[in-house]
Amino acid sequence: MPISPIPKIMLPKLTDIHEDMLRSLGIKLLMLDFDNTILPYVSDEPTEEMLAWLEHMKHLPDIQICVVSNSHNGRVPVISRELGLKCITHARKPFSKGIKQCLREYGVPAAQAALVGDQIYTDVLGANNVGVLSILVDAINNHNIWLKGRHVLELPFIAMARRIKK
């Protein structure tokens, strides 16, 4: 089976994901990328909107939530803990290590899980590689030339995904 860089769902931001959408798709586990999905790289303070969304999602009885991040930075587990979120770091997306670890820890099959992130070459490829629903959101803040450049390289796949949805 070829691995696709095309996201299954695209949304402007993480907080646009709603429980009814997840339930209609049969999602029991929502994996979240951290940097530029929950928080920008340049801040340790989530917005009020993000705090409210996370608080609501954490308390859903039928959908579990976990951060799955490639980060080696100590801020990810610290902030995740402060937000009351479980966290897997060093996930190695787009490889399956961290995603499969999360699926095992939560006892959820890939078909009932989704991964939300801001990068095609890590989050979308990783999710699609494992058979998890891939949800691409816009990066919160592409604050440097490397992030902006990466985004330019992702534009053809974003365009393809938009064409497929029409």
Side-chain angles (χ1 to χ4, degrees), residues 43-63:
S43 173
D44 291 342
E45 295 295 323
T47 64
E48 288 299 319
E49 178 185 23
M50 183 62 69
L51 286 172
W53 184 86
L54 288 169
E55 198 58 33
H56 174 74
M57 296 301 283
K58 283 187 325 195
H59 292 95
L60 296 176
D62 55 338
I63 300 171

